[in-house]
Amino acid sequence: MTKKIDKYLPVDYCDTFSIEVTGNKLSPGDIILKVFAHNPAWLQLLYKIRACFVKPFGIETEPFKTKDFIIEEDAREAIMQKDDKHLLFYVDVFITPMPAEKQIIEVTTLVKYHNWVGKAYFFCIKPFHRIIVPMVLKKTLN
């Protein structure tokens, strides 16, 4: 099946994490909002540490209103786009219905670097991204 997010390829980085859930009533856009709203104390601490390191490079550190950045949405897919002077990223949520009220929910991240600062920044946060995204997805949808 073709996904809307595919039209934003090629990129410098791409990953997809998926989870099977039962009885989900959230839309793809609501899932994006819920994932980005999940801010336990340990994650807030990581954000504060990150802010100390990246602020001198002009990287945005303030929270943003996720809903304002959802650029496409239908019943099966929603795409959020956030662009700054260092990098452009997309978050895509795609829902595949399964039998017995189950769904496969896929979260895809695409990143395009605008310059060396974006590349260096994402190189540093990528290991955290790979751990945090599936963890937050599991916490928010189970």
Side-chain angles (χ1 to χ4, degrees):
M1 158 151 280
T2 303
K3 298 177 182 176
K4 294 177 192 302
I5 194 67
D6 293 343
K7 69 183 164 196
Y8 298 102
L9 296 170
V11 293
D12 298 304
Y13 176 82
C14 175
D15 66 28
T16 300
F17 299 98
S18 62
I19 186 170
E20 184 177 300
V21 297
T22 303
N24 170 53
K25 302 296 184 205
L26 297 173
S27 71
D30 289 339
I31 292 171
I32 290 175
L33 297 176
K34 192 170 181 182
V35 165
F36 275 86
H38 184 76
N39 280 314
W42 64 267
L43 190 52
Q44 291 176 35
L45 177 63
L46 284 176
Y47 287 146
K48 287 178 185 176
I49 293 168
R50 179 196 68 159
C52 292
F53 285 106
V54 303
K55 203 167 196 158
F57 298 100
I59 294 175
E60 295 178 26
T61 59
E62 296 299 316
F64 57 91
K65 294 188 181 219
T66 309
K67 187 173 183 129
D68 295 343
F69 294 93
I70 294 177
I71 58 170
E72 293 189 50
E73 183 175 11
D74 63 28
R76 293 198 49 198
E77 186 173 16
I79 300 171
M80 184 191 91
Q81 174 189 13
K82 181 76 170 79
D83 197 6
D84 67 28
K85 62 185 175 183
H86 305 299
L87 59 77
L88 164 65
F89 77 91
Y90 299 91
V91 174
D92 177 74
V93 170
F94 188 83
I95 298 174
T96 303
M98 306 293 284
E101 291 192 33
K102 292 186 179 191
Q103 295 175 326
I104 301 292
I105 298 176
E106 297 175 77
V107 176
T108 299
T109 303
L110 305 181
V111 180
K112 289 183 183 183
Y113 311 129
H114 291 317
N115 53 39
W116 71 269
V117 175
K119 188 173 186 175
Y121 167 72
F122 196 72
F123 175 81
C124 294
I125 68 158
K126 190 184 328 178
F128 298 98
H129 168 82
R130 289 180 174 161
I131 294 167
I132 292 169
V133 172
M135 186 183 302
V136 168
L137 187 59
K138 186 176 179 181
K139 281 277 192 196
T140 58
L141 295 176
N142 281 335

